Amino acid sequence: MPSYAGWTAAQETATVTVDGHELDVAYYDEGSGDPVVFLHGIPTNSYLWRDVIGPIAAERRVIVPDMIGYGNSSMFDGFDRSIRAQEEMITELLSALDVETPSLVGHDLGGGVFLRYAAHHPDAVDELVLSNSIAYDSWPIQLITDLGLPETARETGVEELQAMLDDLFRDTLHGSEHSDAFLDGMTTPWNSEAGATSLVRNAISTNTNHTTEVDPETIEARTLLLWGADDQFQSIEWAERLQADIETAELIGLDDANHWVMEDRPDAYRDELADFLR
């Protein structure tokens, strides 16, 4: 398991154009073969997938970007970070990397981005995996709504925000023993004034319309809903609704797993994902 610093050192950068803005996207790229793209949500980054990608990268090319406004991608003020904009970022990044028909694995907001992408590009997505994903009008949760208030950026200091995030993850991970590497990786990108402001901008960019306008029934990709069954934020009932609407969808709920399912149950998550993508 690499440290967050080690993960960062291994990242590459591509410049993409989103809504006329030139933005840097940091991404991890390993392996060869049919590509699999992993995408995180809020308030995480690509390091979320560090313990998942190994078995996949042994057989396929794995691409793991930081969304714009997150991780080591561009964070400056002045561009949209909504999942509509993130979908445009993914489209531009895949073009830059010469990726035409990827498999997609998304968590939280990243799942919402890939839900849109799979609906809008039905011929370009072979397989779709959604884990504790936003969908329909399941979001934003109150915590993110509160975080997105402009006054939060003005009135919340960096240290206070770091403490809030640390408490958030500790309170919503399953069990009482938590990885220091995970906690460090999830909070470090926000440990500056620019990072704290960017997180608030990311939160305020959550737009429910960007999933309510998507019809999951149009998705043709073979789909796995790999869900933490004890999720407090995106309950498994949303996965059951997606299963009913996506003709090809299979639902696997992992017990003893909250919203951060790949952190709570890494072995089971890896096994189910590798089996589906095999």
Side-chain angles (χ1 to χ4, degrees), residues 126-144:
D126 289 335
E127 298 155 318
L128 174 66
V129 181
L130 302 177
S131 291
N132 299 77
S133 171
I134 63 169
Y136 309 106
D137 60 351
S138 72
W139 65 300
I141 62 172
Q142 190 63 49
L143 182 149
I144 298 301

Side-chain angles (χ1 to χ4, degrees), residues 147 152 156 159-169:
L147 183 61
T152 303
T156 304
E159 290 186 6
E160 183 181 356
L161 181 61
Q162 287 285 295
M164 289 169 52
L165 292 172
D166 189 77
D167 288 344
L168 166 67
F169 287 113

Side-chain angles (χ1 to χ4, degrees), residues 158-260:
V158 173
E159 290 186 6
E160 183 181 356
L161 181 61
Q162 287 285 295
M164 289 169 52
L165 292 172
D166 189 77
D167 288 344
L168 166 67
F169 287 113
R170 290 184 186 277
D171 290 345
T172 54
L173 286 162
H174 190 269
S176 58
E177 296 185 7
H178 307 138
S179 164
D180 289 338
F182 173 79
L183 295 170
D184 177 64
M186 295 303 101
T187 58
T188 294
W190 317 119
N191 195 17
S192 66
E193 289 188 6
T197 299
S198 189
L199 179 55
V200 173
R201 302 292 188 256
N202 297 337
I204 204 170
S205 295
T206 52
N207 186 336
T208 313
N209 293 331
H210 292 168
T211 47
T212 57
E213 70 184 8
V214 171
D215 181 3
E217 293 183 2
T218 64
I219 291 176
E220 300 177 5
R222 190 167 69 94
T223 300
L224 173 64
L225 307 168
L226 185 52
W227 224 264
D230 302 329
D231 193 350
Q232 302 174 29
F233 299 147
Q234 300 296 323
S235 72
I236 199 166
E237 284 77 15
W238 294 109
E240 292 168 348
R241 182 172 171 184
L242 285 167
Q243 182 185 28
D245 284 346
I246 300 175
E247 183 177 358
T248 63
E250 172 190 5
L251 170 59
I252 297 176
L254 296 180
D255 294 329
D256 300 324
N258 203 321
H259 188 65
W260 324 106

